[in-house]
Amino acid sequence: MKKNVFILIVFAISLISCKPEIEKPTVITESVEEITENVVKVTGYVSDDGGSEVTERGICWNTEGDPEIIDNRTVEGSGLGAYTSEIRDLDPNTNYYVRAYATNEAGTAYGEVRAFKTEFEKLNGYEYVDLGLSSGLKWATCNVGASAPEECGDYFAWSETEAKTNYSKENSLTYAVSDLLEQGFIEENGLLAPSYDAAAANWGEGWRMPTRTEYLELIKECTWKWVTLDDVNGYIVTGVNGNHIFLPASGYRYGSFLYEIGEFGYYWSSSKNSDYNTSYRIIFDRESQDVFHFFRCIGLTVRPVTE
C-alpha cells in the first residue's frame, strides 16, 4: 500500500512539473489614426495569450512616455485578436504616448509605444492657440492668406478686405476719411465693422482683427524670442501656459514694392487713431515690440483672433 501511495505522489509531481509555464500575453500596438484636436483611434492586437486566458485588453496613454495601465486606459474586452479604442477628451496641440496592453494570469504585457500630437483647435477650418492670456483671447496660427505659420500671407490696407498689387493714398478706401463712423467703416467702439475687417471678411464669423489693447496684452504677457524658422525671420511668442505662435517679420507694401521683410513685422489692428490718416498696428524688429499708428493706405499683414 505504501509503495502504491508513493508511486501516485511521484506521478502527481511529474504531472505538475510537466505543466507548461504561463507567460504574459503577446500584444502589438498596430496603428494610431484619425487624430484630431481631442480624439484619436488606436488599434491593438493580441497574438498569443501566453498559455492563460487574456482577461483584459485595451490601450493606455499619457503625456510623459512609457504609459502603463495605472495612467489612463481603455478596456476593450478580453481574449485574442484585434481591437480598436477611440480615446476622447484629449487636449489640443499636445504630445501623447500610447500603447496596447493585455493582461492574463502572469501579469500585464505591453506593445510598442507610439507617439502622436493632437491638432490645434479650429474655427471655420482655421487653427488657433490659447496662450493663457488674461483676456482669454485665442490667436490664429497663421496670417490671413497664409497656409503655414512662417508664410506672410496677404497684405491689406486698413479697412480693406482684399489684397492689391498697388497700395497708395489715391486707391485707399479710408485714407483721409474723417467720418469713419458715419460711413459705416467703424462701430461705436471705434473698431472696424466686420465687413471692413480683413480677418472677419476672409475667415468668417468668430474671427476678427486684434485691437490695439490686445496687441499690448500680447507684448506684456508673453515671452518674445527672435528666431529663424524655415529661413524666415520672426518671433516665437510664448504664452504663460507654454503654448506659442510664430509671427513672421512680414515688412510692408507701399506702391507695388515690398519693404523691410525679414527685418520688421507690421500687423494691423482694428483700432483707429484720432487723426484722419492713421490707425494702430504692432511693429517689431529683433530688438523690440511696440504698438503705434501708421498710414491706412499701407499694405500690412493680418493675424486673426477669436474669443
Side-chain angles (χ1 to χ4, degrees):
M1 177 66 72
K2 291 183 179 180
K3 182 177 180 181
N4 290 339
V5 171
F6 176 77
I7 292 172
L8 289 173
I9 293 173
V10 170
F11 180 69
I13 291 174
S14 66
L15 287 177
I16 294 173
S17 63
C18 291
K19 183 179 180 181
E21 182 180 353
I22 296 174
E23 298 179 345
K24 292 181 181 180
T26 301
V27 58
I28 302 168
T29 310
E30 287 204 319
S31 63
V32 178
E33 301 175 316
E34 300 182 32
I35 303 167
T36 69
E37 63 267 27
N38 48 35
V39 178
V40 68
K41 287 186 177 180
V42 184
T43 298
Y45 182 79
V46 182
S47 60
D48 191 319
D49 63 11
S52 173
E53 180 186 1
V54 173
T55 55
E56 182 178 311
R57 65 186 189 178
I59 304 296
C60 55
W61 74 95
N62 64 20
T63 58
E64 293 79 31
D66 295 330
E68 299 181 352
I69 58 175
I70 60 173
D71 296 317
N72 305 282
R73 79 178 191 269
T74 64
V75 177
E76 302 294 345
S78 59
L80 299 173
Y83 57 91
T84 299
S85 289
E86 184 176 80
I87 302 172
R88 293 184 166 274
D89 299 324
L90 301 175
D91 293 326
N93 190 31
T94 302
N95 292 312
Y96 282 95
Y97 302 88
V98 296
R99 58 179 171 178
Y101 76 89
T103 301
N104 69 1
E105 183 181 339
T108 298
Y110 296 94
E112 302 86 345
V113 176
R114 297 188 182 273
F116 69 93
K117 187 174 184 178
T118 50
E119 295 182 352
F120 290 96
E121 293 184 278
K122 294 181 181 179
L123 175 63
N124 305 336
Y126 299 100
E127 297 176 343
Y128 64 87
V129 177
D130 181 358
L131 297 172
L133 300 171
S134 298
S135 66
L137 193 70
K138 282 78 172 178
W139 285 76
T141 61
C142 295
N143 293 345
V144 175
S147 58
E150 66 273 16
E151 295 179 5
C152 294
D154 294 330
Y155 293 74
F156 303 89
W158 193 80
S159 76
E160 299 181 20
T161 59
E162 295 183 2
K164 301 186 291 189
T165 57
N166 185 280
Y167 297 81
S168 68
K169 298 176 183 178
E170 290 72 29
N171 69 8
S172 172
L173 191 62
T174 55
Y175 183 83
V177 173
S178 59
D179 54 350
L180 294 172
L181 179 60
E182 183 178 332
Q183 294 192 30
F185 292 112
I186 62 172
E187 299 183 321
E188 292 287 348
N189 57 10
L191 305 177
L192 280 170
S195 57
Y196 295 100
D197 181 311
N202 285 280
W203 284 18
E205 185 177 357
W207 289 107
R208 60 175 176 80
M209 291 163 60
T211 67
R212 174 178 178 269
T213 300
E214 288 163 348
Y215 272 126
L216 291 172
E217 178 187 53
L218 192 70
I219 293 172
K220 179 180 179 181
E221 296 190 11
C222 294
T223 301
W224 292 61
K225 182 180 180 181
W226 184 268
V227 299
T228 301
L229 179 62
D230 291 338
D231 297 323
V232 178
N233 292 335
Y235 273 106
I236 289 180
V237 183
T238 305
V240 295
N241 59 5
N243 294 336
H244 68 270
I245 57 174
F246 178 71
L247 296 176
S250 50
Y252 68 91
R253 288 191 177 276
Y254 186 62
S256 58
F257 297 99
L258 176 59
Y259 298 91
E260 297 182 344
I261 185 170
E263 300 178 16
F264 286 84
Y266 300 88
Y267 290 72
W268 278 126
S269 81
S270 60
S271 304
K272 77 174 188 67
N273 191 27
S274 57
D275 66 35
Y276 297 165
N277 301 319
T278 65
S279 293
Y280 285 100
R281 52 80 166 111
I282 190 173
I283 174 176
F284 59 77
D285 61 12
R286 66 178 61 242
E287 301 295 335
S288 63
Q289 312 88 39
D290 200 358
V291 180
F292 204 64
H293 51 80
F294 207 36
F295 293 114
R296 296 174 191 156
C297 59
I298 305 297
L300 304 185
T301 45
V302 170
R303 179 58 62 95
V305 294
T306 187
E307 305 291 342

